[in-house]
Amino acid sequence: MSENARRKPPYEAAEIEVERQAAWTGRGDYDAPAPPPDGEHGVYVKSSSPFTSGNLHMGHVRDYTIGDAYARFQRARGRSVLMGFGFDAFGLPAELAAIERQVPAAEWVVQSGERMLGQMQRLGYSFDYDRVFYSSDESQYRWSQWLFLTLYDMGLIYLDDATVDWCDTCQTTLATIQVEEGGTCWRCHNEVRLIRQPTWFLKITPYLEENDANMAKLEAQPWDDMALATQRYILGRADGVELDLDGPGGPLTVFTPHADAAGLATFVLLSPRHPDVEAWIGDEGVREELEQLRSGGWERSARDAGAVPVIDTGRSIPGPAGKDLPVLISPLVDARFGPTATLAVPAVDEADRDVAERFPGRIEAPAPPADDAPPPSAPAEGARQAKRYRANDFSISRQRSWGTPIPIVHCPDHGPVPVPEADLPVVLPRDLVATGEGNPLAERPDFVDTVCPICGKPAKRETDTLDCHFDALFLWVPATVPPEDRATQMFTHPESRKWLPAERQVAGGDSGGFVFDQRIVTKALRDHGEFDYMPDGEPFAGVLFHEMVIADGRKMSKHLGNVVDPDALVAEFGADTVRVAVLWAAGPAKTLNWSDAAIRFANKFLRSFWTYAHDRFVELEGAKHDPEKAAETEKQREKLRGWCENGLNRVAEDTAELQLHKSIRNLTRLFERIQQFEKQLKKRGQLDRVDAEALVAAILLLARALQPFAPHAAEQILINSGRFTSDDLPGVWPDATTIPVAVDDAFSGASF
Ligand SMILES: [Zn+2]
Ligand SMILES: [Zn+2]
């Protein structure tokens, strides 16, 4: 190898990256640091927990690149950073993949997870890989079961009937996505019907008000607009008034969002889940209609985009203006205001008018006011301010085999009995192979047959499993607990207090429901004692939601043939190029429409910076020094230092706010400035040694600032400068005073 090739190495991304990654592992860069000392809080970055699909897609790459850049930036700023990661490994996607391949789901999950972890390491993500977990591990789902029992004990979990799709041929319940258009089974294509099935529910209503009240606090924290908007949307708060009407079984409290027009109400609409609904069912016909509606008639017709059902009870109630108001029942109420009773005002409310028009003669439906007329006004006497939330309890159990077993035993004498905590975990048979037929758990006597914890008589285990949404309620916790302590202290480990609440949750824009319910469960466990150190019950100090990655203006799909494969990109251009491209192409709040332009831009930037830097390292060695000449260019060096200071401040600000597309833009601008400095000086001839020093100092500063984004190339440039060895290179955020201005600075031996 010639001297020149050694000093000016080509940019071979694959080689450089694999070598750097080995060095990081060797240095232990990403092992979870010791928690920070008293009085300081660590930086815990919680990235998405993906399903074990077997393949990272570009959405994951976006997610983890954002989180990793932030984690590396905060480490460079001297903070203790934990970057946690785990798989949401239970659930339908893994079960379906396992059915297709006829292997136990447990096997498929481990294979897929290992492959994905390999992809993540190749992309240079600085997770603590020793803390990786799978929600389907016994040691992990033991705590899903503990959480179930704890919430059950607190009265926050209950059993009720729910409507599910059922295939008579396959003798199994189906998830919504397993029902084909036209209502047939995905497996046998026979018609599917709806049945009523006892189902476990999580009660979230006790914490809705607090989730609402905390919104003002979260707004002042680093929660981005999309994350806040999803929380508000899911909560579905409606403000208005309520008043008590004189019902047959006592007062009926009715709500309307139209405070100014409550006096114009012409009927009352009840949720089918209103606690007093029974009192309004006079005749058998109405009862039958309600039964039909409850057993899923509505869900089925809604799927066909039919009209929302409305049942006329035939009864009336005296309204606020003295007139009798017909009482009707419809799930429309739930969809707007939760399981309540509403005062319907067709004069000002379009949805109410639509209902009224379906009952001509029975309900008055005044014509809507003309466009330029003021809305009619008639407040009701005695109305008081009130609010309602649309968010409601949700089902947490599924008739699927790949999920956390529910720790409940059904005893003929005692009914459902919780499994004692000492007997956890209730183990899911590891060799279970689902076929898509029947309920594989129910067919395993070794699982089903047990004894009642109270009376010791033969009893049956619950064969439903928990929906993976339930496991996800605490997927942000395990990474904060050292793996060896998880068996005993998952929710009580002292180190968790140093990491929680998490400084940043980074997730896709469709994760609002997860975050909402994680906020609920944090409040429940605060009240139960485990999370007493999070007094406001908020698990995330900051949340960033990012939009998805599409291609050719459409969602990526195999069917459209527009899937972008991260592995192929990494193989061709290297991880650093892919990382910079995905950050640069769009701000997190925007959908990223993938194009080769981003890859070309990123690769060109990294290549040209690489070449530029190495050329200047060589030139510096040949530079001559003339004190008088050097003194003349002091102003230019001062300017360079100013540009660097400015550029760094901007990049730091953007990065702290996770506006990483701006960080990249400002880094490329700084590179242009550095080149401009050199060009101007070269008009005067060769660079003086002091100017060459300043130029190299600026290049090293830029490489330092680039470390969070393109960590491999940046670190290799620093090593190749000859001023650092691999061992002293974990990122340190640079400082522009390393750029010499006065002639003496350049020879002071100051290092950076
Ligand atoms: Zn079927
Ligand atoms: Zn019993």
Side-chain angles (χ1 to χ4, degrees):
M1 199 186 272
S2 73
E3 176 70 2
N4 216 29
R6 196 176 59 77
R7 302 302 313 280
K8 293 186 181 182
Y11 179 51
E12 302 283 5
E15 216 171 283
I16 295 164
E17 289 171 358
V18 170
E19 202 178 299
R20 287 294 91 217
Q21 285 160 12
W24 299 338
T25 310
R27 298 201 299 240
D29 276 14
Y30 308 120
D31 299 351
D38 279 349
E40 268 178 52
H41 200 69
V43 177
Y44 170 35
V45 181
K46 167 70 180 79
S47 295
S48 291
S49 291
F51 287 128
T52 43
S53 62
N55 247 318
L56 285 194
H57 57 62
M58 288 304 289
H60 297 129
V61 172
R62 189 177 201 188
D63 198 278
Y64 305 134
T65 304
I66 292 172
D68 188 56
Y70 185 78
R72 286 173 181 271
F73 169 73
Q74 293 294 2
R75 285 190 201 107
R77 307 274 270 183
R79 306 208 36 209
S80 290
V81 177
L82 172 67
M83 189 151 170
F85 178 78
F87 290 104
D88 192 358
F90 271 138
L92 200 58
E95 181 164 336
L96 294 183
I99 290 175
E100 203 184 307
R101 291 163 181 81
Q102 277 305 294
V103 294
E107 225 171 78
W108 159 255
V109 155
V110 171
Q111 281 169 15
S112 305
E114 278 171 7
R115 188 175 135 58
M116 291 167 84
L117 287 170
Q119 290 178 291
M120 297 169 85
Q121 276 165 321
R122 181 62 191 84
L123 277 152
Y125 298 139
S126 58
F127 293 110
D128 178 355
Y129 291 90
D130 293 337
R131 289 198 178 199
V132 168
F133 61 91
Y134 293 76
S135 63
S136 58
D137 280 348
E138 270 169 47
S139 56
Q140 180 71 28
Y141 70 68
R142 178 209 186 276
W143 291 103
S144 291
Q145 294 175 341
W146 175 88
L147 184 62
F148 179 96
L149 294 176
T150 302
L151 297 174
Y152 181 78
D153 203 41
M154 293 174 77
L156 295 173
I157 285 179
Y158 60 93
L159 197 56
D160 197 2
D161 275 357
T163 308
V164 292
D165 284 294
W166 170 263
C167 175
D168 285 310
T169 318
C170 301
Q171 286 291 301
T172 187
T173 54
L174 300 172
T176 311
I177 61 159
Q178 293 176 302
V179 180
E180 300 170 325
E181 240 171 272
T184 49
C185 167
W186 69 301
R187 193 168 166 274
C188 67
H189 309 293
N190 289 322
E191 202 169 323
V192 167
R193 65 191 178 97
L194 289 154
I195 57 164
R196 298 288 286 165
Q197 173 105 5
T199 299
W200 295 93
F201 282 83
L202 178 66
K203 192 173 185 170
I204 63 169
T205 39
Y207 292 108
L208 291 179
E209 269 208 76
E210 199 181 352
N211 261 19
D212 183 13
N214 282 1
M215 289 307 295
K217 268 187 243 171
L218 301 184
E219 273 166 30
Q221 289 172 205
W223 278 63
D224 74 274
D225 291 345
M226 202 192 325
L228 290 168
T230 61
Q231 297 308 292
R232 273 195 217 95
Y233 178 79
I234 292 163
L235 186 65
R237 172 177 169 157
D239 285 280
V241 292
E242 64 182 16
L243 47 127
D244 302 325
L245 303 183
D246 225 354
L252 176 71
T253 304
V254 290
F255 170 83
T256 174
H258 306 290
D260 293 338
L264 299 172
T266 58
F267 67 106
V268 164
L269 202 56
L270 284 180
S271 153
R273 294 183 298 145
H274 189 284
D276 297 341
V277 75
E278 295 293 323
W280 294 92
I281 299 166
D283 74 72
E284 265 322 294
V286 173
R287 179 169 300 282
E288 249 170 59
E289 269 187 87
L290 184 64
E291 263 321 300
Q292 205 186 341
L293 184 149
R294 281 174 168 169
S295 66
W298 180 50
E299 281 97 324
R300 173 61 78 218
S301 62
R303 202 177 282 163
D304 306 336
V308 182
V310 180
I311 300 168
D312 184 356
T313 65
R315 298 187 161 196
S316 299
I317 190 168
K323 266 192 292 187
D324 272 358
L325 308 179
V327 176
L328 293 85
I329 301 170
S330 173
L332 187 64
V333 176
D334 302 69
R336 298 181 75 192
F337 309 112
T340 186
T342 66
L343 202 52
V345 194
V348 294
D349 189 298
E350 212 174 306
D352 290 346
R353 191 154 52 238
D354 288 346
V355 173
E357 279 167 359
R358 287 162 63 180
F359 297 87
R362 171 90 162 120
I363 303 176
E364 232 181 277
D371 279 347
D372 50 356
S377 158
E381 233 170 90
R384 50 189 190 266
Q385 296 223 317
K387 57 180 183 274
R388 293 289 185 274
Y389 299 112
R390 187 181 50 222
N392 216 314
D393 304 351
F394 57 89
S395 72
I396 51 170
S397 55
R398 300 288 179 267
Q399 295 73 45
R400 318 284 339 168
S401 65
W402 186 237
T404 297
I406 294 175
I408 290 283
V409 167
H410 294 280
C411 168
D413 294 343
H414 295 100
V417 180
V419 172
E421 198 187 325
D423 295 347
L424 298 184
V426 176
V427 176
L428 187 70
R430 275 176 221 108
D431 54 354
L432 199 73
V433 180
T435 57
E437 240 176 277
N439 178 345
L441 261 187
E443 288 153 19
R444 292 279 298 242
D446 59 335
F447 177 81
V448 176
D449 294 333
T450 184
V451 293
C452 169
I454 299 174
C455 64
K457 283 191 207 158
K460 301 277 184 202
R461 285 198 191 283
E462 171 70 63
T463 56
D464 279 6
T465 56
L466 289 171
D467 181 51
C468 56
H469 190 92
F470 189 87
D471 302 314
L473 291 174
F474 72 102
L475 281 185
W476 46 282
V477 177
T480 68
V481 183
E484 63 276 17
D485 295 336
R486 284 181 195 156
T488 49
Q489 300 177 76
M490 181 68 87
F491 289 95
T492 50
H493 201 277
E495 282 186 23
S496 296
R497 294 169 179 252
K498 287 295 190 176
W499 304 116
L500 296 175
E503 179 161 305
R504 276 296 198 294
Q505 149 100 292
V506 179
D510 55 358
S511 313
F514 285 103
V515 170
F516 191 86
D517 298 328
Q518 288 164 344
R519 294 176 56 212
I520 298 267
V521 94
T522 308
K523 293 174 179 70
L525 290 186
R526 172 203 58 197
D527 292 349
H528 194 257
E530 286 80 7
F531 288 160
D532 56 359
Y533 58 94
M534 290 185 270
D536 60 2
E538 294 294 342
F540 309 116
V543 175
L544 177 90
F545 276 0
H546 57 83
E547 274 292 355
M548 57 179 170
V549 184
I550 59 170
D552 313 321
R554 300 157 91 175
K555 219 172 158 168
M556 290 185 197
S557 81
K558 274 189 197 146
H559 169 68
L560 291 172
N562 66 344
V563 176
V564 176
D565 174 15
D567 284 358
L569 290 176
V570 170
E572 191 173 351
F573 301 100
D576 283 336
T577 291
V578 175
R579 293 169 59 115
V580 171
V582 85
L583 294 177
W584 173 78
K590 290 214 171 113
T591 299
L592 198 170
N593 191 3
W594 186 257
S595 79
D596 291 343
I599 280 283
R600 281 197 304 270
F601 162 84
N603 198 245
K604 191 176 162 212
F605 168 58
L606 292 175
R607 277 180 184 285
S608 57
F609 180 52
W610 175 275
T611 308
Y612 185 83
H614 286 89
D615 285 350
R616 272 53 186 184
F617 297 157
V618 174
E619 276 178 29
L620 174 63
E621 286 177 19
K624 305 269 184 307
H625 178 50
D626 172 349
E628 240 169 78
K629 218 179 128 198
E632 283 169 23
T633 51
E634 187 171 321
K635 272 259 166 327
Q636 273 83 351
R637 290 191 297 276
E638 202 177 318
K639 222 188 221 177
L640 176 68
R641 189 193 271 191
W643 285 338
C644 286
E645 199 172 353
N646 227 327
L648 275 183
N649 286 343
R650 282 192 191 171
V651 173
E653 259 170 51
D654 299 336
T655 307
E657 285 166 16
L658 290 169
Q659 299 302 303
L660 306 178
H661 57 305
K662 291 188 189 167
S663 309
I664 302 289
R665 218 182 299 150
N666 280 318
L667 286 166
T668 59
R669 276 194 198 133
L670 184 55
F671 182 33
E672 284 162 20
R673 292 288 202 184
I674 293 170
Q675 295 171 83
Q676 202 181 328
F677 163 79
E678 186 193 23
K679 253 187 226 150
Q680 280 179 357
L681 289 179
K682 278 202 168 156
K683 284 181 193 154
R684 302 157 160 256
Q686 283 297 13
L687 291 198
D688 184 84
R689 182 160 186 97
V690 178
D691 292 322
E693 269 294 345
L695 182 61
V696 165
I699 288 168
L700 297 179
L701 173 141
L702 180 57
R704 280 286 196 200
L706 192 60
Q707 270 186 300
F709 313 96
H712 315 83
E715 188 168 300
Q716 194 62 52
I717 288 171
L718 292 166
I719 292 172
N720 291 355
S721 74
R723 303 188 183 206
F724 307 93
T725 63
S726 175
D727 284 343
D728 46 37
L729 262 181
V732 173
W733 195 245
D735 174 353
T737 59
T738 51
I739 295 169
V741 173
V743 174
D744 289 348
D745 290 353
F747 301 102
S748 62
S751 172
F752 34 94

